[in-house]
């Protein structure tokens, strides 16, 4: 993996529809949507902190939840149902490092 970068899943649960829309649109600029409230991206520690701080401006800490989960260097996935990934993103072969899948332009 590129030094200092790591793949993360970012998940949120937002009670208010307006706050939910704001955080969703913000995260669309930061990572790849995996499901409606779940994003995957490659971040440095500093960029992940900055993303969380910026996201916090849209959230109410008494009612909303925002979390990040580090992903292993190699991970496989199993899918069922339609995905929320934007067009043009295809699934890699098993064993492909996730950071390689997620790397590119705006994602780190």
């Amino acid at each position: 993996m590129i030094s200092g970068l790591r793949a993360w899943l970012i998940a949120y649960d937002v009670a208010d529809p307006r706050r939910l829309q704001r955080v969703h649109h913000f995260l669309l600029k930061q990572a790849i949507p995996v499901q409606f409230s779940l994003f995957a991206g490659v971040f440095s520690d500093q960029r992940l902190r900055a993303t969380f701080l910026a996201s916090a401006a849209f959230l109410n800490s008494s009612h909303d939840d925002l979390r990040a989960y580090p992903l292993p260097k190699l991970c496989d996935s199993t899918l069922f149902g339609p995905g929320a990934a934007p067009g043009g993103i295809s699934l890699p072969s098993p064993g492909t490092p996730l950071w390689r899948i997620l790397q590119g332009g705006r994602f780190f």
Side-chain angles (χ1 to χ4, degrees), residues 7-75:
W8 292 84
L9 280 180
I10 298 175
Y12 60 85
D13 183 14
V14 180
D16 178 74
R18 187 173 179 166
R19 289 193 311 268
L20 180 125
Q21 184 179 29
R22 287 179 178 172
V23 74
H24 181 79
H25 285 291
F26 173 76
L27 289 174
L28 281 172
K29 299 174 188 170
Q30 308 299 317
I32 298 171
V34 178
Q35 288 184 316
F36 184 71
S37 59
L38 185 65
F39 287 78
V42 177
F43 298 91
S44 65
D45 289 343
Q46 181 179 7
R47 177 136 181 272
L48 183 66
R49 277 192 296 277
T51 299
F52 260 66
L53 287 173
S55 297
F58 304 115
L59 303 174
N60 179 327
S61 62
S62 298
H63 302 285
D64 304 329
D65 188 29
L66 178 68
R67 300 173 182 217
Y69 300 97
L71 295 173
K73 290 181 181 178
L74 293 177
C75 70

